[in-house]
Amino acid sequence: MKYQSQLVAKPYFIAAIGLFIGQIIFGLIMGLQYVIGDFLFPEIPFNVARMVHTNLLIVWLLFGFMGSAYYMIPEESETELYSPKLALALFWIFLVAGALTIVGYLAVPYARLAEMTGNDLLPTMGREFLEQPTITKIGIVVVCLGFLFNLGMTVLKGRKTSVSLVLMTGLVGLALLFLFSFYNPTNLVLDKFFWWYVVHLWVEGVWELILGAILAFVLIKTTGVDREVIEKWLYVIIAMTLITGILGTGHHYYWIGAPEYWQLIGSVFSALEPIPFFMMTVFAFNMVNKRRRDHPNRAAVLWALGTAVMAFLGAGVWGFLHTLAPVNFYTHGSQITAAHGHMAFYGAYVMIVLTMISYTMPMMRGRAAANSLKSQVVEMWAFWLMTVSMVFITLFLTGAGILQVYLQRYSDAPQAFMVVQEKVELFYWMREYAGLVFLTGLLLYVVSFFIGGKEHAEQRA
Amino acid sequence: MATEITPTGGKRLAIAAEALYLANLLVLPLLAFLLLWWLYSRQGASAPPLAAAHLQQSVVASLWAGLLLIPLPLLTLILSGGSLTGWTVAILWFVTCHAALVLAGALGLARAMAGKPWRYPLIGGGKS
């Protein structure tokens, strides 16, 4: 670790992993509720479990991105962080606000929570992924402003690199687009437009910039390939991301009451959206193939390569599967969407944060570059358990989705939603078992950090 | 990962072979394969080792891709009598298989760009 202030990333990563475990537990609860409808009812109704599952995902990924940025920016800028104290203060504010919000979801009915937090003064609640009380949203904005100020001042006083520029663009975009969550028009079509400006332009826009920058940073550090080569790839990837992703938002406008031309625009541009992910796969493997050294942290390299592959499969392939308007007419909002969502989030964003944690944690815990070989073997087991089980979760949900679409929407005698849900129960059980394997992998990942031993040394200079 | 010392001559041809394999799967089915076949029959024997290996692997993998993606799902549908289970299995098979083949092609392209040989897992036959 080159700069002492990079250490502020550590609490962010620890909180991220803690919240990740919570997210998976709620995912398992919800998975069980798919097949045992009254499981934990009325204590944790399905809608609440779902809200906690998705909100925890967003919050822990944000912790992960922030931790990654606090680690990367000082190193890229070749200077200490502007204010480590501000970073730590914002960490506690964000953690307490996030925890209180989750407790609020679980402790009181959602409508009561809206009432208690003064939603009527500035109504922003009630929309998927943006369920947070307005006061929490304001807190997120404050944290983001402080975070960007801290990073911005660090970049300004130090070296400016393409990696930090792309990362900062992604983070500023993330913060700016979140502001649309404060606009909640009564016109539902308009509301959906602005809602997608947050949700879509995050995950298929600016978050991909953050992903690209983190991947580039880790590859520079672990492969020893010239920064210039990696930066050229990064520029092309982010250009393709924005070219395809911005108008690709159109695939969300098909059936919300927007003009029909969106079906063409959305289909064409979102069909191109796999390209940056495909390039990312070629990029990552190409850099590792051209590596000038074998980095001792083999687990981190495995995570980096896994990110490229799984992001391509989850976001690229499974996204394309149902993105064309004539296909989406039938598949919209079915389990096929859930299959895509699971693999895309895991492949693109969960894995890149875990890559960064895997790369940085050994150094933040006092090692030169890597954990012991024994620890890395356990971590690589965790990688495979989580990744393979996520592939199966995706396949089972895809199977459920195909059946659902056919029985509920395509057949000559379409059946009711709940009737069909019973018919695809087998897939839901199999998804639940795969989810348990995923949790096992995640727990192994945590365990791997507590396995001591002599540091694994670099093999080849 | 082991250190490899590999021939780098014929890198452009190797990249072209892998790119055509991918184009056959993604944008120009059949047409890209015909181009790949033409390239293989014209230059396969005289190409530098790296290019020859990539050409041979791309052609073999394309033939396997054709077999895995067209007759097998069709057979599944015919044998199942077009039942719902048959469709589910056939679609899942096609999507998974196609994604895996594209992924293998992406890795092949990355290897070609790095001037290294590549053997398609399972379908690539003996060591190239």
Side-chain angles (χ1 to χ4, degrees), chain A residues 13-196:
Chain A
F13 288 150
I14 293 170
I17 293 176
L19 296 170
F20 185 20
I21 294 171
Q23 186 218 341
I24 300 309
I25 289 170
F26 275 90
L28 286 169
I29 290 172
M30 200 177 18
L32 211 49
Q33 287 174 339
Y34 264 92
V35 279
I36 305 171
D38 56 358
F39 178 67
L40 287 184
F41 186 83
E43 287 77 20
I44 306 177
F46 178 83
N47 65 313
V48 173
R50 188 178 189 279
M51 193 162 61
V52 174
H53 179 65
T54 55
N55 277 232
L56 277 176
L57 168 71
I58 294 166
V59 172
W60 88 255
L61 286 179
L62 291 179
F63 269 109
F65 290 160
M66 287 179 179
S68 303
Y70 281 131
Y71 190 92
M72 283 167 64
I73 292 294
E75 198 158 320
E76 284 294 297
S77 306
E78 294 182 335
T79 178
E80 292 288 356
L81 187 68
Y82 179 73
S83 172
K85 279 183 186 164
L86 176 62
L88 282 175
L90 292 174
F91 165 76
W92 286 109
I93 292 170
F94 195 24
L95 186 67
V96 171
L100 282 177
T101 304
I102 299 297
V103 170
Y105 290 159
L106 292 168
V108 292
Y110 190 68
R112 176 88 186 100
L113 183 66
E115 211 175 83
M116 283 165 63
T117 54
N119 187 58
D120 53 333
L121 298 172
L122 177 59
T124 67
M125 293 174 73
R127 289 169 296 171
E128 197 182 3
F129 310 124
L130 302 178
E131 293 97 343
Q132 310 84 35
T134 306
I135 186 91
T136 305
K137 288 197 182 85
I138 293 169
I140 292 173
V141 171
V142 171
V143 168
C144 283
L145 282 175
F147 166 69
L148 290 173
F149 168 74
N150 208 354
L151 293 182
M153 294 304 283
T154 312
V155 172
L156 284 176
K157 71 175 171 144
R159 179 179 69 150
K160 283 93 184 158
T161 68
S162 302
V163 173
S164 55
L165 180 74
V166 173
L167 180 68
M168 287 302 290
T169 309
L171 293 169
V172 169
L174 185 156
L176 285 177
L177 290 165
F178 184 68
L179 295 178
F180 286 122
S181 71
F182 287 90
Y183 182 53
N184 193 1
T186 46
N187 180 321
L188 266 181
V189 179
L190 205 57
D191 169 50
K192 285 287 178 197
F193 269 98
F194 283 92
W195 182 69
W196 284 119

Side-chain angles (χ1 to χ4, degrees), chain A residues 115-371:
Chain A
E115 211 175 83
M116 283 165 63
T117 54
N119 187 58
D120 53 333
L121 298 172
L122 177 59
T124 67
M125 293 174 73
R127 289 169 296 171
E128 197 182 3
F129 310 124
L130 302 178
E131 293 97 343
Q132 310 84 35
T134 306
I135 186 91
T136 305
K137 288 197 182 85
I138 293 169
I140 292 173
V141 171
V142 171
V143 168
C144 283
L145 282 175
F147 166 69
L148 290 173
F149 168 74
N150 208 354
L151 293 182
M153 294 304 283
T154 312
V155 172
L156 284 176
K157 71 175 171 144
R159 179 179 69 150
K160 283 93 184 158
T161 68
S162 302
V163 173
S164 55
L165 180 74
V166 173
L167 180 68
M168 287 302 290
T169 309
L171 293 169
V172 169
L174 185 156
L176 285 177
L177 290 165
F178 184 68
L179 295 178
F180 286 122
S181 71
F182 287 90
Y183 182 53
N184 193 1
T186 46
N187 180 321
L188 266 181
V189 179
L190 205 57
D191 169 50
K192 285 287 178 197
F193 269 98
F194 283 92
W195 182 69
W196 284 119
Y197 291 164
V198 184
V199 178
H200 174 96
L201 291 179
W202 263 15
V203 297
E204 287 164 71
V206 291
W207 283 28
E208 280 183 50
L209 270 56
I210 299 169
L211 158 66
I214 298 176
L215 190 61
F217 176 80
V218 173
L219 288 174
I220 288 170
K221 300 293 169 189
T222 56
T223 64
V225 172
D226 283 344
R227 174 181 286 275
E228 289 72 24
V229 177
I230 289 181
E231 285 176 347
K232 274 178 197 159
W233 273 92
L234 183 60
Y235 276 132
V236 180
I237 289 170
I238 63 156
M240 284 311 295
T241 298
L242 297 175
I243 289 166
T244 60
I246 292 173
L247 279 174
T249 320
H251 63 223
H252 298 294
Y253 300 163
Y254 295 161
W255 327 116
I256 64 168
E260 207 170 326
Y261 55 74
W262 279 111
Q263 291 182 20
L264 182 65
I265 297 172
S267 294
V268 170
F269 281 89
S270 56
L272 299 173
E273 278 191 65
I275 293 173
F277 288 105
F278 176 78
M279 290 172 70
M280 224 178 273
T281 311
V282 178
F283 161 59
F285 278 86
N286 199 16
M287 292 309 108
V288 172
N289 282 329
K290 284 182 169 173
R291 69 192 181 280
R292 288 180 176 174
R293 61 188 188 132
D294 277 337
H295 195 274
N297 193 340
R298 287 159 60 185
V301 178
L302 179 66
W303 279 111
L305 292 176
T307 302
V309 169
M310 293 297 286
F312 168 64
L313 289 178
V317 177
W318 256 260
F320 179 72
L321 185 67
H322 63 142
T323 201
L324 301 176
V327 176
N328 194 266
F329 180 73
Y330 293 103
T331 61
H332 186 83
S334 67
Q335 290 298 332
I336 291 174
T337 314
H340 162 58
H342 277 80
M343 206 195 230
F345 262 106
Y346 176 73
Y349 303 120
V350 170
M351 288 184 86
I352 195 63
V353 171
L354 297 186
T355 301
M356 196 61 189
I357 294 176
S358 184
Y359 172 70
T360 60
M361 263 308 189
M363 290 177 278
M364 287 195 290
R365 297 177 78 207
R367 290 181 181 269
N371 283 329

Side-chain angles (χ1 to χ4, degrees), chain A residues 355-432:
Chain A
T355 301
M356 196 61 189
I357 294 176
S358 184
Y359 172 70
T360 60
M361 263 308 189
M363 290 177 278
M364 287 195 290
R365 297 177 78 207
R367 290 181 181 269
N371 283 329
S372 68
L373 191 59
K374 200 174 160 190
S375 162
Q376 288 193 50
V377 168
V378 175
E379 192 182 336
M380 287 192 265
W381 265 97
F383 168 91
W384 286 111
L385 280 175
M386 281 195 267
T387 305
V388 172
S389 58
M390 184 50 76
V391 169
F392 277 101
I393 287 172
T394 306
L395 288 175
F396 294 144
L397 287 175
T398 308
I402 294 168
L403 274 172
Q404 182 191 6
V405 167
Y406 184 83
L407 295 172
Q408 197 182 310
R409 297 175 179 177
Y410 193 77
S411 67
D412 293 335
Q415 297 171 42
F417 175 81
M418 287 311 290
V419 174
V420 173
Q421 290 299 302
E422 274 183 22
K423 296 197 179 201
V424 298
E425 201 180 274
L426 179 66
F427 285 102
Y428 290 149
W429 274 114
M430 296 195 319
R431 183 267 300 266
E432 185 72 358

Side-chain angles (χ1 to χ4, degrees), chain A residues 289 291 294 403 406 460, chain B residues 1 3 84 103 110-111 116:
Chain A
N289 282 329
R291 69 192 181 280
D294 277 337
L403 274 172
Y406 184 83
R460 180 162 61 104
Chain B
M1 282 177 250
T3 312
L84 188 54
L103 189 60
R111 295 282 290 182
K116 294 188 173 187

